[in-house]
Amino acid sequence: MGAVDTKKKHQREAPSTDKGNEDASRGQQQKRQKVERQKTQPGGELKVQARKQWEELRRGDLDPEVRKTKMKAMMDLLRGQIKELTFKHDMSRVVQTCLKYGDEQQRGEIAAELMGSYVDLSRSLYGRHILMRMLKYCPQYRSAIIKSFYGKVRKLVRHKDAALVLEECYAVYANAKQKWDLVAEFYGTEFALFKNDDGPKSLDAILAAAPQKRATALGALKSTVVPLLEKGTVQYSIVHRALLDYVRHADATDRQELIGTMRELVVEILHTRDGAHAGMLCLLHASAKDRKAILRTFKPYLQRICCEEYGYAVLVEALDCIDDTVLVNRTVLQDVCAMMPELLADQYGRRIPLFVLGGRSPHFVGSDALGVLAANDAVKQLTSKKDATQRRQELTAFVSESMVSWAEAHAAQAIFEPLPSQAVSETLLRALGDKTQAWQRVLDLARADVGQLGDKHVLLNPIANRVVTNCILAEHSQPRSADASLPPLPESNPPFGSDLLDALVDSEQLVAAACAGAFPVRALLESPVTGARTKELLAPHAASIAKAKKTAAKTNILDAILSHL
């Protein structure tokens, strides 16, 4: 009975095997028929041969000499017919591969043969990739490609494919003059038709030289920018430049209208210098309702914005100009506090909490952002009613707990690193609340053996000792700052110098630190709070310090210490 069942099973399975062979045969037949159909089309034989050679040419493991031979054969096949082939999906890839693997002469041949078709290629779904390759691999033709767009920029920027090529030209390959020639077309027909090498190179210069052109230029700029905003096409840096110029020069009514239109899109322009600048101006001039809408769009992308080279500056502007600190805390600072360790470890992310504590310091905020903030002060006097120091105190209260918690957990390691050490210093000096535990982490490092650790000791390390020295100075004087809005240091700060001196005495490291030429020891001697006691403790060891000076590589600190004994 079992044998009969097995036989029936095989009989049932046999047709499926035959069906599989039949399907494979049918697929091969369809492929052959497709090739035959392609051969009957104009240039079909050429396309079939080119694709066959391309399958081998595109291999990444091909020997260089073999590739050179096949590349020559491919060029012999395509020469004179490239323009007719480039707008097809499959042949576009063939030409891209030739640009990638060809030599300079072969690449130049392709670019020269396509001359006159650059604009059409940019508008093609497949052709634009060839143009991108030419920009990358044919530097001698970049200028010709960019010039081919002159007079057509306002149309091309609205085209989904051409806009990508235009952005590549503007953001990556164009020089300053070419950038201006491209963006100037936004300001009117005159600038699209006439490219004057000796003329003005910015909208500021145009309006300064010919104020009567203001209405015409801004009208043309608005007619280009508004449709782009309505379509949501604002991701390109050339558009950011146009937006910045319009926000800077438009009158109050037109500016408010634009901000109302783009308030949901500001988050999409923060990744470029001009876009971030435009975003800062939008926040500065926006109404309370628009500011709230803009900040809400930031929330899902806040960490990314904080850590962007230019995006962080827009958040700094929000902290600097918005009076409603409760709104700022709810939309920005709560999330900043939640990701404090990640932000303080980032080159740009750290600037947000440090700006709250330390203000407009060039140590924390980039020069570009500082320049924009300073330029915006005149407007802020009209748009802001809250005292700058009061705003700073309220913002500091929101971030202090997170900053202190971070310092308690990371101060022992962060104090030795260039950027995180600034966060340790600002937290100890300016954060509100109980900082005893955070300061204790530093004192524990100070109690370690100076002779054993050498330059790795917190009092001798060139990064860490600056933090300790600043704390000692802060016990008796307010730190100097470029930001007049910073409030005085909290009265609840620990007695930094006195605590450090006690820690060094208890651990018997004061003399060793003095003999090693530690900056903080000099600061203790010069402090009106700890100077007399420190001198009394070190005076009996003046001979030992003088002896250490004879073998020291640098003697200036030891000289200063001895001068006080």
Side-chain angles (χ1 to χ4, degrees), residues 532-561:
R533 183 182 171 206
T534 306
K535 178 179 180 180
E536 181 182 348
L537 292 167
L538 288 178
H541 305 279
S544 299
I545 298 172
K547 183 178 179 181
K549 174 186 169 184
K550 295 179 181 179
T551 57
K554 296 181 180 180
T555 61
N556 55 333
I557 299 300
L558 288 167
D559 286 335
I561 291 173

Side-chain angles (χ1 to χ4, degrees), residues 119-368:
V119 174
D120 293 334
L121 283 171
S122 72
R123 291 191 177 114
S124 168
L125 176 62
Y126 307 118
R128 67 177 170 87
H129 297 291
I130 295 175
L131 212 54
M132 294 283 203
R133 293 278 185 175
M134 287 171 57
L135 286 167
K136 181 177 181 180
Y137 294 117
C138 305
Q140 67 272 31
Y141 284 88
R142 286 173 189 162
S143 180
I145 294 172
I146 293 171
K147 286 181 179 179
S148 71
F149 294 150
Y150 288 172
K152 310 173 185 68
V153 174
R154 295 177 69 181
K155 290 184 178 179
L156 293 178
V157 77
R158 300 175 187 175
H159 192 284
K160 64 176 183 177
D161 295 311
L164 295 170
V165 181
L166 185 63
E167 171 67 8
E168 189 80 0
C169 291
Y170 180 85
V172 181
Y173 297 110
N175 58 35
K177 180 186 180 304
Q178 291 168 336
K179 285 185 175 182
W180 166 247
D181 287 339
L182 290 171
V183 78
E185 296 190 18
F186 290 147
Y187 308 136
T189 307
E190 173 187 348
F191 302 99
L193 297 178
F194 306 106
K195 305 295 183 184
N196 187 355
D197 292 344
D198 300 324
K201 297 295 187 292
S202 69
L203 184 58
D204 289 24
I206 291 173
L207 299 182
Q212 69 276 12
K213 294 182 179 180
R214 180 184 184 86
T216 303
L218 291 177
L221 189 54
K222 181 179 181 180
S223 68
T224 301
V225 165
V226 172
L228 292 174
L229 291 175
E230 292 173 348
K231 289 177 61 178
T233 312
V234 295
Q235 65 268 41
Y236 307 119
S237 56
I238 190 171
V239 178
H240 300 173
R241 170 71 179 274
L243 285 170
L244 174 59
D245 281 342
Y246 190 79
V247 174
R248 289 180 63 227
H249 293 284
D251 60 38
T253 303
D254 287 340
R255 185 189 297 118
Q256 288 298 330
E257 182 182 347
L258 180 81
I259 293 173
T261 302
M262 67 176 294
R263 65 184 189 181
E264 303 290 337
L265 299 172
V266 172
V267 68
E268 298 184 26
I269 69 173
L270 307 184
H271 56 281
T272 67
R273 182 175 180 271
D274 289 337
H277 189 171
M280 294 172 76
L281 291 177
C282 285
L283 278 171
L284 178 69
H285 292 283
S287 64
K289 182 179 179 180
D290 287 337
R291 283 176 173 176
K292 186 175 182 179
I294 292 171
L295 292 181
R296 280 180 173 174
T297 64
F298 291 174
K299 200 169 179 65
Y301 313 101
L302 196 62
Q303 183 171 1
R304 180 177 173 183
I305 296 172
C306 288
C307 298
E308 281 187 339
E309 180 180 1
Y310 303 110
Y312 84 91
V314 183
L315 296 178
V316 166
E317 179 66 53
L319 296 170
D320 195 67
C321 74
I322 298 179
D323 289 345
D324 188 352
T325 54
V326 174
L327 170 66
V328 173
N329 178 52
R330 188 170 63 250
T331 55
V332 177
L333 292 183
Q334 285 181 356
D335 290 337
V336 166
C337 292
M339 51 191 172
M340 192 68 74
E342 293 81 5
L343 293 184
L344 290 176
D346 184 83
Q347 177 184 2
Y348 300 107
R350 71 189 183 92
R351 297 182 177 187
I352 304 303
L354 290 183
F355 175 78
V356 174
L357 295 182
R360 299 183 184 184
S361 168
H363 298 297
F364 312 142
V365 184
S367 56
D368 276 354

Side-chain angles (χ1 to χ4, degrees), residues 47-61:
K47 294 177 183 178
V48 171
Q49 294 181 36
R51 279 198 301 272
K52 186 175 180 181
Q53 293 190 31
W54 171 71
E55 289 291 348
E56 298 182 8
L57 183 63
R58 72 191 183 105
R59 286 172 49 190
D61 60 347

Side-chain angles (χ1 to χ4, degrees), residues 458-473:
V458 71
L459 300 184
L460 300 178
N461 181 273
I463 297 170
N465 73 35
R466 187 178 296 114
V467 176
V468 178
T469 301
N470 288 341
C471 289
I472 296 170
L473 296 175

Side-chain angles (χ1 to χ4, degrees), residues 357 396-397 399-402 404-405 408 427-438 490-494 496:
L357 295 182
T396 299
V399 303
S400 288
E401 183 178 352
S402 295
V404 172
S405 297
E408 290 175 355
T427 301
L428 290 173
L429 295 181
R430 300 190 181 278
L432 305 177
D434 185 4
K435 294 173 280 191
T436 305
Q437 292 301 317
E491 295 181 0
S492 60
N493 277 355
F496 295 115

